[in-house]
Amino acid sequence: MTRRLIEDRIAPKLRNDLLNPLDDSATLELPAGRVCFTTDSYVVQPLVFPGGDIGKLAVCGTVNDLAVMGARPVALSLALIIEEGLSLEVLERLLESLAETAREAGVPIATGDTKVVERGRGDGLIVNTAGIGVLGDSVQLGLSRISPGDAIIVTGRIAEHGLAVMSVREGLEFETSLMSDAAPLNGLAQAILGAGADVKFMRDPTRGGLAGVMADLAEATGFSIEARESDIPLSRVCLHTAEMLGLYPLTVANEGKIVVVVSESDAEKALAAMKVHRYGQHAAIIGRVTDRAPALAELVTRAGGRRIVQRPYGEELPRIC
Amino acid sequence: MTRRLIEDRIAPKLRNDLLNPLDDSATLELPAGRVCFTTDSYVVQPLVFPGGDIGKLAVCGTVNDLAVMGARPVALSLALIIEEGLSLEVLERLLESLAETAREAGVPIATGDTKVVERGRGDGLIVNTAGIGVLGDSVQLGLSRISPGDAIIVTGRIAEHGLAVMSVREGLEFETSLMSDAAPLNGLAQAILGAGADVKFMRDPTRGGLAGVMADLAEATGFSIEARESDIPLSRVCLHTAEMLGLYPLTVANEGKIVVVVSESDAEKALAAMKVHRYGQHAAIIGRVTDRAPALAELVTRAGGRRIVQRPYGEELPRIC
């Protein structure tokens, strides 16, 4: 039955030259050089939410993990863990969304696996994707390249994914027009890298949000990371929804944004490259790296005060991506 | 807490030059050419069984999927989906086993992901691995290369994995000395390919067993596949356990065997290369490809009769790998 499910329902939705349901693995041709390899599992509930679903998320998450390394994604694997009882209509809808997102990203689902687990043992549907990306010789990104003075840019409005998912969970979806920002960002990342700016580091602020990335940067570099609250792009509807839900937007997950660290003198050039891209229209320079001791992530508030930005934990980190 | 779990408990067990818990993905150097890519999820219960556990299985399964393509595994990803309540001692034991198997296979866990799901939503532990393998220019394997007269070899005694797991489930483990055959087969596969024999196809007979591979071969090639029951390596303890459990050994899963199709004239040469390898001591030529119509998988029984070998389904396919 799993075999028929795969041959009749799953494989046809994902069809491409690499995927062969009869083979144990896919074969691809790669140029010599550096390759990035990543994996992520997706356990979001509900499976479908405003602006996306677990299928779209499973492609965006892995494509974006490669994109922020500076790599061009060339193949994804797809592992489905289906709980008995999941409706075939829902499964097909999620696969269509997944396939459409993979097409937009320009990356084939090269190989896959499907397991069906007994009712009550799975979570409706768990999706895992792994991805391979090719890293061009000219790309030189790394935490060690970050230094005081560097500018910090975020490619758009924050907190949209997490708030969209949480608003459904809390029954608020009809009161807001909030949509997840889930999007494949390999095109945007390549545009940023191709702008002629000295880009030093990129990271997608998913679980843990912008706050998590800021705290990670301060800890890993030994420099302070300073952001100005008034410069962080945030829509009015997100601000209000976050207030209703008691969440702090900086800690809320994004699935369609990149935090970029770039040399101070090239910040405007990088920003301009983002703003002409579909997924970078609301990009903004939000802060900078400083040598202020001790090394902390800090927010300069609208009122002019300073607040330490901490890595969120526990209740602040709902399982949404 | 997941972060601390990863940094304190998981990453130290898997430590290697590629794995960096702070990076979204691993970077590796590959030669130009063909690369194989595969993924598999593991949902076995019990998590630990005679001769192995889900950690060992998750490495062997993916390494072997690459090995039978003729590829040399160069990196694995590891995605853990942990159910709240799984004991840390069990998790650590499984990770140690996983790391030890990866060391034996000579392949690093290059990148990983850990998700913790609420109690009752997971299955204790679900493991997904994906793998990348490098395929040498000289390797030319494929179903299309198979022709009548080719010999069919199995690299050892069948049915050991499935019977070991099922005997625990049925409370029979103290009555038999049965052990799973789970083993990383990349060394054996390279030995077979290096023997100077015209090897045409390899497949690991996991879920669905030898019967599944024979049925697949007949369907995909359009030729008949004939095996002699008396030549199929099967231990006495497996035969008896299968009888007790009401299972047919040909349909039972293996995790340490390869079915090899090789040109008739090179069969003895390939067999000799297997027999000197640790995991190929009990290898045997079990049958051949014929142009007998219609194209069927058939077993020549000990009594001299012929029986059609069908792909197993439903109850014959317990969820064990």
Side-chain angles (χ1 to χ4, degrees):
Chain A
M1 274 162 63
T2 303
R3 188 187 168 98
R4 280 185 46 196
L5 180 71
I6 294 168
E7 288 183 358
D8 298 347
R9 304 275 187 156
I10 297 174
K13 301 262 182 248
L14 306 173
R15 205 167 288 302
N16 64 69
D17 292 344
L18 292 173
L19 186 68
N20 179 350
L22 282 180
D23 259 345
D24 275 334
S25 75
T27 303
L28 32 150
E29 287 278 346
L30 293 185
R34 291 182 300 168
V35 161
C36 291
F37 185 31
T38 189
T39 188
D40 217 336
S41 304
Y42 301 84
V43 290
V44 63
Q45 285 289 352
L47 297 174
V48 179
F49 45 81
D53 53 57
I54 194 172
K56 184 176 187 180
L57 206 57
V59 171
C60 293
T62 294
V63 162
N64 296 350
D65 278 349
L66 294 171
V68 297
M69 296 289 287
R72 186 173 53 81
V74 292
L76 296 184
S77 68
L78 171 66
L80 302 172
I81 295 154
I82 299 171
E83 189 176 25
E84 274 180 8
L86 177 70
S87 110
L88 275 176
E89 275 162 41
V90 170
L91 178 63
E92 292 196 342
R93 176 173 165 189
L94 296 171
L95 287 170
E96 277 163 19
S97 165
L98 188 148
E100 189 188 315
T101 310
R103 272 194 299 275
E104 185 192 336
V107 57
I109 307 296
T111 186
D113 177 64
T114 300
K115 291 286 184 300
V116 179
V117 298
E118 286 165 47
R119 201 187 282 255
R121 284 193 148 181
D123 198 13
L125 178 67
I126 297 174
V127 182
N128 174 280
T129 48
I132 299 176
V134 170
L135 192 55
D137 289 338
S138 61
V139 179
Q140 294 296 340
L141 300 176
L143 289 163
S144 63
R145 296 205 54 235
I146 296 174
S147 55
D150 288 347
I152 297 166
I153 307 181
V154 64
T155 58
R157 293 169 174 161
I158 65 163
E160 292 172 350
H161 173 71
L163 291 173
V165 174
M166 290 306 291
S167 66
V168 178
R169 286 208 196 155
E170 303 294 327
L172 296 175
E173 72 269 33
F174 302 113
E175 296 176 36
T176 78
S177 55
L178 203 52
M179 304 261 277
S180 166
D181 63 342
L185 299 175
N186 48 326
L188 175 61
Q190 290 299 316
I192 295 167
L193 292 173
D198 184 17
V199 179
K200 300 187 168 184
F201 184 79
M202 300 195 287
R203 172 70 56 89
D204 52 333
T206 55
R207 204 165 180 217
L210 181 58
V213 173
M214 289 176 62
D216 281 351
L217 284 175
E219 186 181 310
T221 63
F223 299 121
S224 282
I225 305 297
E226 184 184 286
R228 292 171 303 273
E229 188 174 24
S230 58
D231 290 341
I232 297 172
L234 179 67
S235 70
R236 189 164 295 270
V237 61
C238 276
L239 183 64
H240 290 164
T241 307
E243 277 169 6
M244 275 196 288
L245 294 169
L247 294 169
Y248 180 45
L250 260 69
T251 65
V252 175
N254 311 275
E255 291 290 344
K257 299 299 172 327
I258 310 177
V259 177
V260 181
V261 183
V262 59
S263 72
E264 189 177 10
S265 57
D266 286 346
E268 289 295 339
K269 195 192 283 184
L271 186 67
M274 295 172 201
K275 282 183 162 290
V276 296
H277 193 281
R278 170 180 183 191
Y279 295 129
Q281 290 171 48
H282 301 288
I285 301 170
I286 62 163
R288 60 196 180 106
V289 180
T290 79
D291 53 9
R292 190 180 162 108
L296 291 172
E298 286 187 302
L299 191 72
V300 179
T301 65
R302 282 195 172 76
R306 283 177 172 272
R307 196 160 65 195
I308 292 176
V309 174
Q310 286 186 302
R311 188 178 291 120
Y313 59 90
E315 301 255 311
E316 291 184 284
L317 277 176
R319 294 184 183 90
I320 50 176
C321 46
Chain B
M1 274 162 64
T2 303
R3 187 188 169 98
R4 280 184 48 196
L5 181 70
I6 295 168
E7 289 182 357
D8 297 348
R9 303 275 186 157
I10 298 175
K13 301 262 182 246
L14 307 173
R15 203 169 290 301
N16 64 69
D17 292 345
L18 292 173
L19 187 68
N20 179 350
L22 282 179
D23 258 347
D24 276 333
S25 75
T27 303
L28 29 151
E29 287 277 346
L30 293 185
R34 291 182 300 168
V35 161
C36 291
F37 184 32
T38 189
T39 188
D40 216 335
S41 304
Y42 301 85
V43 290
V44 63
Q45 284 291 351
L47 297 174
V48 179
F49 45 81
D53 53 56
I54 194 172
K56 183 176 188 181
L57 206 58
V59 172
C60 293
T62 294
V63 162
N64 295 352
D65 278 349
L66 295 171
V68 297
M69 296 289 287
R72 187 172 53 82
V74 292
L76 296 184
S77 68
L78 172 66
L80 301 172
I81 296 154
I82 299 171
E83 191 176 21
E84 273 180 8
L86 177 70
S87 110
L88 276 178
E89 276 163 40
V90 170
L91 178 63
E92 292 195 344
R93 177 174 166 187
L94 296 171
L95 288 170
E96 277 164 19
S97 165
L98 188 149
E100 189 187 315
T101 311
R103 270 194 300 275
E104 186 194 335
V107 57
I109 307 295
T111 186
D113 177 63
T114 301
K115 292 285 185 300
V116 179
V117 298
E118 285 165 47
R119 201 187 282 255
R121 282 194 150 180
D123 197 14
L125 178 67
I126 297 174
V127 181
N128 174 280
T129 48
I132 299 177
V134 170
L135 193 55
D137 289 338
S138 61
V139 179
Q140 295 297 338
L141 300 175
L143 289 164
S144 63
R145 296 204 55 235
I146 296 174
S147 56
D150 288 347
I152 297 165
I153 306 181
V154 64
T155 59
R157 292 170 175 161
I158 65 164
E160 292 172 349
H161 174 71
L163 291 174
V165 175
M166 290 306 291
S167 66
V168 179
R169 285 208 199 157
E170 303 295 327
L172 296 175
E173 72 269 34
F174 302 112
E175 298 176 35
T176 78
S177 55
L178 203 54
M179 303 262 277
S180 167
D181 63 343
L185 300 175
N186 48 327
L188 176 61
Q190 290 298 316
I192 295 168
L193 292 173
D198 184 16
V199 179
K200 300 188 168 183
F201 184 79
M202 299 195 288
R203 172 71 57 89
D204 51 335
T206 54
R207 203 168 181 215
L210 181 58
V213 173
M214 288 176 62
D216 282 351
L217 284 176
E219 185 181 311
T221 63
F223 299 121
S224 283
I225 305 297
E226 185 184 286
R228 292 172 303 273
E229 188 174 23
S230 57
D231 291 340
I232 297 172
L234 179 66
S235 70
R236 190 164 293 270
V237 60
C238 275
L239 183 64
H240 290 164
T241 307
E243 276 169 7
M244 275 196 287
L245 294 169
L247 294 169
Y248 180 44
L250 261 68
T251 64
V252 175
N254 310 275
E255 291 289 344
K257 299 299 173 327
I258 310 178
V259 176
V260 181
V261 183
V262 60
S263 73
E264 189 177 10
S265 57
D266 287 346
E268 290 295 339
K269 194 191 282 183
L271 186 67
M274 296 172 200
K275 281 183 163 292
V276 297
H277 194 280
R278 170 181 184 189
Y279 294 130
Q281 291 170 48
H282 301 287
I285 301 170
I286 61 163
R288 60 196 179 107
V289 180
T290 79
D291 52 10
R292 192 180 161 110
L296 291 172
E298 286 185 304
L299 190 72
V300 179
T301 65
R302 281 194 173 77
R306 283 179 171 272
R307 196 158 67 194
I308 292 175
V309 174
Q310 286 186 302
R311 186 177 291 120
Y313 57 91
E315 300 256 311
E316 291 184 284
L317 277 176
R319 293 184 183 90
I320 50 176
C321 46

